[in-house]
Amino acid sequence: MTIQEKPIAIKKSRSYLYLVSLVAALGGFLFGFDTAVISGTISLVTKDFGLDAVSEGWFVSCALLGCILGVIISGKLSDKFGRKIVLILSAFLFLASALGCMYAGSFSALIIFRLIGGIGIGVASMVSPLYISEFAPSRLRGTMVSLYQLALTIGIVVAYFTNAYLANHTGEVHSNAALQRIFSAEVWRAMLGLGAFPALIFLLALFAVPESPRWLLTMGRKDLAARILTKIDGEETARKELEAFSGQRISGDEGSLKTLFSPVYRKALWIGLLLPFLSQVCGINAVIYYGPRILEQAGFTLNNALGGQVTIGIINVIFTFVAIFTVDKWGRKPLLYVGVGGAVISLIIIGLLFQFGVTSGPWILIFILAFIACFAFSFGPVCWVVIGEIFPNGIRGKAMSLATLTLWIGNFFVGQLTPVMLQGIGTSWTFWIFAICCSPALLLTWKLIPETKGRSLEEIEEHWQRSQSIPK
């Protein structure tokens, strides 16, 4: 049945597009909350369990290992069973993790529940931007996918606020022994357990959204996909996208990752592997995870350092709006050039300030905020936009899983090695190494990444098939 043959007219609804995209973006909120909430718990958990630097790094990075496992399974699952059901799985896992961490009876149990939560976050980190990329019309795709990064940054700042609030109220006395333990004696339990609320909201909201229309098309369910596409962007656009999908050339290896290793998609593969990895080894999560320790080294007290983390989170949110309002207007590459360049300069200056002992006054915090701002309108959102649109329809789930895997591998190493680096080589060299690791993203943007603003997913795929060269 074609769109013209449907007996019931379907009206275009912009609010429907935003509502569904916002629900999917809640996966980013969980990602951000889990990433940031750990920063307020590290010193507390280290004290309660008597952890050394290696165990402290394992407490932080065990969830990242879970994320890697989640990403590995999410691509195949989402291609086989659909994007929606896999997102529901991720919400359930995070809910179980938050409650488990709050009531964990030992450090081993805490690690197990952190791993479970990591699996859920890994799944959501891949499938949420994938779902939005496939759901949004081409002219708004960058903006819609950037909502995922916005939700991620809001999750970070909410975690900072709740951490700071709970840390400042640890002296309160509760009549109930369990509440006294969770909210006062071992307040890190409350910090981790609060993640259950957004996880439950995400879980319930997912039952109200449709399946990805492009996944439906790959499954041959054209009628349902047509109805969804029509409601998203109108009948004429839906008809064109269905025709573009139907006109794609089919290869014998469709659905197999072998497709990515062919000469046609080799550049897309390199972009997908390198851009997410570089976005993590630039040091963003060293600031997110270990910000209080870094700010304490700059002369802040613990409570003031947590307050500084709140400021970092707010700047992260504010500058993500720059990407939301410009990524579909200015394009992906200009944002990467300006943002990555600014991040490298900021990292170098932070290292110099620590090297020459300029730790009094606001200068360390100012340049950390500059680094966060540059990341927030470039690496953060643009990475998700690019990897969500450069891969062919038939294997987008598997390919994004592979790309997101490199992101979490980079994140894992940063989480595990940062405390060792801070202790072993010092704060200055830690930031200079991050600057060195960040710099290759400029070359990657110049040489490999195409400008994809305004192109449909089918047009991008046709470009790779038509030519092995990337337009400048």
Side-chain angles (χ1 to χ4, degrees):
M1 181 181 292
T2 63
I3 296 176
Q4 293 87 340
E5 295 171 339
K6 288 192 301 289
I8 300 176
I10 301 174
K11 293 184 179 180
K12 173 181 174 180
S13 173
R14 181 61 60 85
S15 60
Y16 175 74
L17 167 65
Y18 278 95
L19 182 61
V20 173
S21 296
L22 284 171
V23 170
L26 285 174
F29 183 95
L30 296 181
F31 179 178
F33 186 91
D34 185 75
T35 296
V37 75
I38 199 68
S39 66
T41 68
I42 294 173
S43 60
L44 302 174
V45 171
T46 297
K47 179 180 178 182
D48 283 351
F49 291 103
L51 306 181
D52 56 20
V54 174
S55 297
E56 179 184 331
W58 175 231
F59 168 63
V60 173
S61 59
C62 68
L64 306 181
L65 180 59
C67 290
I68 292 172
L69 296 175
V71 169
I72 290 173
I73 65 173
S74 60
K76 188 172 183 179
L77 289 177
S78 66
D79 278 346
K80 184 175 182 179
F81 298 107
R83 319 313 192 197
K84 177 177 174 177
I85 190 67
V86 178
L87 283 174
I88 290 173
L89 172 64
S90 74
F92 177 79
L93 289 172
F94 191 82
L95 177 61
S97 170
L99 295 175
C101 287
M102 185 165 63
Y103 293 105
S106 65
F107 183 65
S108 296
L110 181 61
I111 292 297
I112 290 172
F113 283 111
R114 287 277 295 155
L115 278 167
I116 291 172
I119 294 172
I121 297 303
V123 171
S125 71
M126 193 285 286
V127 183
S128 286
L130 167 63
Y131 177 94
I132 299 172
S133 292
E134 295 183 334
F135 193 82
S138 57
R139 70 181 186 282
L140 296 172
R141 188 172 58 248
T143 298
M144 293 296 100
V145 176
S146 294
L147 290 177
Y148 171 82
Q149 179 68 17
L150 176 65
L152 192 158
T153 61
I154 292 174
I156 290 173
V157 78
V158 167
Y160 286 159
F161 271 115
T162 56
N163 281 355
Y165 177 85
L166 290 169
N168 287 322
H169 289 79
T170 55
E172 295 182 358
V173 178
H174 300 272
S175 57
N176 183 280
L179 292 178
Q180 179 70 20
R181 183 187 186 195
I182 293 172
F183 289 96
S184 184
E186 298 175 0
V187 72
W188 56 265
R189 295 180 181 275
M191 293 176 177
L192 296 173
L194 285 177
F197 290 103
L200 182 60
I201 293 171
F202 185 41
L203 178 63
L204 296 176
L206 282 169
F207 287 101
V209 304
E211 182 53 84
S212 158
R214 282 182 172 81
W215 181 82
L216 291 170
L217 287 173
T218 61
M219 296 292 106
R221 301 170 64 181
K222 293 185 178 181
D223 290 346
L224 181 55
R227 289 197 291 272
I228 296 170
L229 288 170
T230 300
K231 191 169 184 180
I232 293 170
D233 207 27
E235 185 174 340
E236 180 64 21
T237 302
R239 181 185 60 79
K240 290 179 180 179
E241 295 203 8
L242 287 172
E243 289 176 353
F245 183 88
S246 300
Q248 288 178 330
R249 294 197 292 267
I250 306 298
S251 71
D253 289 328
E254 185 184 15
S256 169
L257 276 176
K258 288 171 59 179
T259 305
L260 281 181
F261 294 92
S262 66
V264 174
Y265 294 111
R266 193 167 294 155
K267 288 184 177 180
L269 175 62
W270 278 115
I271 295 168
L273 293 177
L274 292 175
L275 186 63
F277 181 79
L278 294 173
S279 75
Q280 298 306 297
V281 297
C282 74
I284 180 64
N285 284 318
V287 176
I288 302 299
Y289 297 144
Y290 300 103
R293 172 185 292 188
I294 294 169
L295 291 175
E296 281 186 275
Q297 291 180 5
F300 292 80
T301 64
L302 176 59
N303 284 346
N304 286 336
L306 290 175
Q309 285 290 88
V310 171
T311 305
I312 288 171
I314 293 173
I315 292 296
N316 204 2
V317 172
I318 291 173
F319 279 86
T320 300
F321 279 102
V322 174
I324 289 175
F325 293 125
T326 61
V327 68
D328 284 321
K329 182 179 180 181
W330 297 350
R332 287 60 162 148
K333 296 183 72 162
L335 291 181
L336 285 174
Y337 282 132
V338 176
V340 174
V344 171
I345 293 172
S346 299
L347 289 167
I348 292 172
I349 293 175
I350 293 168
L352 288 172
L353 291 173
F354 275 109
Q355 178 69 21
F356 292 105
V358 186
T359 55
S360 60
W363 292 109
I364 294 288
L365 182 59
I366 287 173
F367 282 99
I368 287 178
L369 293 177
F371 167 66
I372 293 292
C374 290
F375 182 92
F377 70 77
S378 61
F379 249 156
V382 176
C383 174
W384 296 113
V385 173
V386 170
I387 67 173
E389 61 189 7
I390 60 173
F391 297 119
N393 281 316
I395 57 168
R396 184 169 293 114
K398 296 185 184 72
M400 272 202 70
S401 177
L402 187 62
T404 312
L405 177 62
T406 67
L407 180 145
W408 284 111
I409 290 173
N411 199 336
F412 174 81
F413 282 115
V414 169
Q416 185 68 48
L417 296 178
T418 295
V420 178
M421 291 167 63
L422 289 172
Q423 182 176 303
I425 63 175
T427 308
S428 295
W429 272 104
T430 298
F431 278 95
W432 288 337
I433 288 174
F434 289 146
I436 292 170
C437 292
C438 184
S439 300
L442 291 169
L443 181 63
L444 179 69
T445 303
W446 177 40
K447 288 291 187 179
L448 291 183
I449 297 178
E451 184 53 72
T452 53
K453 68 172 182 177
R455 295 184 179 185
S456 71
L457 297 178
E458 288 72 28
E459 287 173 336
I460 296 170
E461 181 172 349
E462 179 61 26
H463 161 72
W464 294 122
Q465 293 174 344
R466 187 174 60 250
S467 172
Q468 295 182 28
S469 63
I470 293 180
K472 302 294 183 184

